[in-house]
Amino acid sequence: YASAAEKDLVVIGGGPGGYVAAIKAGQLGLSVACVEGRGALGGTCLNVGCIPSKALLNSSHMYAEAKNHFAAYGIKTGELSYDFAAIQKQKDTAVAGLTKGIEGLLKKNKVDYVKGWGKLVSGTEVEVAGADGSTTRLKAKNILLATGSEVTPLPGVPIDEEKIVSSTGALALKSVPKEMVVIGAGYIGLEMGSVYQRLGAKVTVVEFLDNIVPSMDAEMRKAFQRILEKQGLKFKMGTKVTKGEVVGGRVKLTLEPAKGGAADSLECDVCLVAIGRRPFTKGLGLEALGIKKDARERVEVDSHFRTNVPSVYAIGDIIPGPMLAHKAEEDGVAAVEIIAGKHGHVNYATVPSICYTHPEVAYVGLTEDEAKAKGLEVKTGKFSFMANSRARAVGDTDGMVKIVAEKSTDKLLGVHIMSANAGEMIHEAVLALEYGATAEDIARTCHGHPTLSEAVKEAALATAFGKPIHM
Ligand code: FAD
Ligand code: NAI
């Protein structure tokens, strides 16, 4: 074995959890190595997740705007078309630039980037199998597991990444399918379904439950579904797919009502399986060390991100909590602060969720139903973008803001925004919740005019005083 000097910390996994943790460790003066097996840094998020999906969402959104709305703005386009290979190339260029950028950041913060698949040998040793067949052992005072997640497979519907694809295949299609079926009306299904619908595919989304995106506020998700339907997405709710096979280049699916009943069939050119993700800890050697996992295969950690082996910590998608890149990053920073003897903490109650469709839907805190289920007496305030001057000026009025607050104290419990740019706008609400603000605090905060953010202020006025100004 080639062996290296003992590090303060070895991080296994170079995704948003792992690489951010490694950078923070370098900044705090710890000696640190980051082990990554996929040949590029940035994890799921950068390589096959957040970043490539947002590139495709942007290109397809601009095309749909040009096709459907430019005329209303008085802009003539002539005959409009797209070059899908060039759209894919723009995405690939963005991803490649960013992964290289992370390599630079690791270097700048004196993090050793070790290329290969890591495995725990003990609580203080990691064996790395390099792509060239070499094996290296790294000794460490502390080890941080950040190996992320993988697609949850659907029994009976085998993924081949060409005809029956996961999000990874859906991000790399060579052409736009004529007909697409998406299984699962969650984040991936709605974002990738939107991409291909905008580019001309007939998209049907099959969802097991009676609602899309179960974590969204009920009122928001109902309005959201109506808007997506208006755009052309079709939904088959309360339906499960029991079988999928490729016959003569077409995908044939067998469906059943979720509550039981007669089987039905559906055909398409490409089927996207997007029913969730599960923790990825294969080959990591957890079993040999007796590291505990819960019933959903998530690594169990205490409030200090520590597993039951005291020198081994875990963060990101492999532990409980929302499977989101920004949550993984926060975990990583807090875990490293704790390892360095400081006081890291992540407040999962204020992690924002953002669905990057058009309109975007962004929310933080409790839904109205969640607040009521907690036994809280709530009041709500709403404001439609139909009454927001900026939305009217730019002709993009789909959506609303809904605020949930405690009735007796006016304290904010949850903020839900559906509009263009909601993902950028949600952060004033995140900050407000972090500071324990009331609806009146937002209502009395001066908001620039004319902005979409004024709708947040108006919804806060409706919550605090029962009356917005402009509605
Ligand atoms: P990952 O990003 O999965 O990184 C783990 C890394 O560890 C991987 O690179 C893997 O190769 C490596 N690894 C695993 N095992 C080993 C080993 N034994 N040795 C060495 N390396 C190993 N989240 C958002 O917040 N916003 C979004 O817009 C968003 N969009 C998404 C779109 C899609 C299509 C998908 C699939 C996900 C999206 N997510 C999004 C979720 C986000 O990607 C994850 O929550 C995030 O990447 C989790 O970070 P992580 O560091 O825990 O794990
Ligand atoms: P998801 O959990 O968001 O949604 C899965 C959907 O599939 C749910 O609505 C669920 O009810 C449904 N479902 C489950 N089993 C089913 C079945 N057998 N048949 C039909 N429907 C079924 O999972 P998704 O979309 O795969 O994304 C995985 C995770 O990746 C997300 O939970 C999120 O954490 C992350 N992500 C985040 C994004 C963002 O922040 N914008 C974008 C994409 C992914």
Side-chain angles (χ1 to χ4, degrees):
Y1 295 119
S3 75
E6 186 188 52
K7 299 278 184 198
D8 291 320
L9 177 66
V10 168
V11 180
I12 307 181
Y19 88 74
V20 167
I23 289 174
K24 187 69 186 179
Q27 290 175 349
L28 292 177
L30 304 182
S31 59
V32 54
C34 182
V35 184
E36 170 56 62
R38 72 163 69 227
L41 292 164
T44 302
C45 174
L46 219 167
N47 292 284
V48 290
C50 330
I51 301 300
S53 58
K54 267 79 254 178
L56 295 186
L57 277 158
N58 181 58
S59 300
S60 60
H61 175 62
M62 289 199 292
Y63 174 71
E65 281 292 283
K67 191 167 151 223
N68 304 325
H69 298 133
F70 271 19
Y73 302 139
I75 299 169
K76 293 184 179 172
T77 51
E79 199 176 326
L80 195 68
S81 63
Y82 58 77
D83 174 347
F84 192 57
I87 289 178
Q88 288 287 22
K89 190 158 168 243
Q90 185 276 332
K91 175 208 75 180
D92 293 338
T93 307
V95 168
L98 285 167
T99 53
K100 277 282 160 223
I102 294 174
E103 238 179 284
L105 288 174
L106 290 196
K107 226 176 250 157
K108 186 175 159 201
N109 289 284
K110 301 193 173 51
V111 178
D112 280 353
Y113 170 22
V114 181
K115 293 179 186 169
W117 297 99
K119 181 185 171 185
L120 294 174
V121 181
S122 72
T124 53
E125 261 181 309
V126 175
E127 191 174 274
V128 183
D132 56 1
S134 66
T135 309
T136 313
R137 270 201 189 194
L138 305 171
K139 279 184 180 300
K141 291 196 182 78
N142 303 283
I143 295 169
L144 181 62
L145 309 176
T147 51
S149 60
E150 62 177 355
V151 174
T152 304
L154 178 57
V157 191
I159 289 169
D160 61 21
E161 295 298 16
E162 281 194 13
K163 287 284 168 189
I164 302 182
V165 298
S166 72
S167 51
T168 303
L171 287 165
L173 292 182
K174 298 212 169 49
S175 59
V176 174
K178 282 203 171 66
E179 286 176 303
M180 185 176 204
V181 170
V182 175
I183 309 178
Y187 284 85
I188 291 178
L190 299 183
E191 289 186 1
M192 295 311 298
S194 290
V195 165
Y196 288 106
Q197 184 272 324
R198 292 168 189 168
L199 295 177
K202 282 192 178 130
V203 179
T204 305
V205 183
V206 181
E207 166 61 49
F208 185 79
L209 300 175
D210 293 328
N211 303 305
I212 64 170
V213 201
S215 64
M216 240 176 232
D217 183 272
E219 208 171 342
M220 300 297 282
R221 70 174 175 234
K222 275 184 202 131
F224 182 38
Q225 186 176 340
R226 276 198 298 274
I227 291 170
L228 292 174
E229 280 167 345
K230 205 172 68 186
Q231 290 171 8
L233 281 178
K234 287 204 165 58
F235 288 92
K236 262 185 160 335
M237 307 304 290
T239 305
K240 64 181 173 191
V241 176
T242 54
K243 194 175 165 201
E245 55 184 344
V246 182
V247 182
R250 292 270 288 174
V251 184
K252 296 193 189 269
L253 299 167
T254 309
L255 319 177
E256 262 177 36
K259 292 176 184 121
D264 196 0
S265 64
L266 195 58
E267 276 191 31
C268 59
D269 302 299
V270 172
C271 169
L272 164 61
V273 179
I275 60 162
R277 294 180 62 83
R278 65 184 185 188
F280 178 76
T281 55
K282 216 177 344 188
L284 198 52
L286 299 188
E287 294 75 19
L289 258 76
I291 292 180
K292 284 191 192 148
K293 292 194 263 182
D294 68 12
R296 291 169 61 187
E297 290 290 299
R298 300 175 301 190
V299 176
E300 283 184 16
V301 289
D302 65 13
S303 59
H304 284 177
F305 302 97
R306 206 184 273 246
T307 68
N308 56 313
V309 173
S311 55
V312 180
Y313 296 75
I315 57 162
D317 277 9
I318 55 167
I319 68 165
M323 286 178 140
L324 297 171
H326 42 282
K327 178 270 192 183
E329 293 185 30
E330 296 295 323
D331 281 358
V333 168
V336 164
E337 284 175 332
I338 289 165
I339 289 167
K342 298 178 183 297
H343 304 282
H345 176 68
V346 188
N347 182 5
Y348 287 174
T350 54
V351 173
S353 301
I354 304 160
C355 190
Y356 295 86
T357 41
H358 191 87
E360 295 180 345
V361 186
Y363 47 107
V364 61
L366 301 178
T367 65
E368 185 177 351
D369 290 343
E370 284 167 350
K372 285 179 178 160
K374 278 179 180 285
L376 294 164
E377 221 186 319
V378 302
K379 56 179 177 175
T380 62
K382 284 174 247 173
F383 194 77
S384 163
F385 281 92
M386 275 301 285
N388 172 272
S389 57
R390 180 65 175 273
R392 290 290 283 265
V394 304
D396 192 357
T397 53
D398 276 343
M400 65 170 170
V401 179
K402 173 174 174 179
I403 291 180
V404 183
E406 191 176 28
K407 196 167 185 183
S408 56
T409 63
D410 195 41
K411 193 172 180 235
L412 291 170
L413 298 171
V415 176
H416 308 264
I417 308 173
M418 174 163 51
S419 71
N421 288 329
E424 301 291 345
M425 288 154 63
I426 194 65
H427 297 98
E428 78 164 297
V430 178
L431 201 60
L433 279 164
E434 272 294 341
Y435 278 61
T438 60
E440 186 176 342
D441 287 326
I442 291 189
R444 290 193 185 279
T445 299
C446 183
H447 286 62
H449 176 76
T451 60
L452 299 178
S453 293
E454 284 175 291
V456 178
K457 180 191 164 104
E458 293 273 11
L461 280 164
T463 312
F465 306 117
K467 291 186 192 110
I469 299 290
H470 292 94
M471 205 160 69

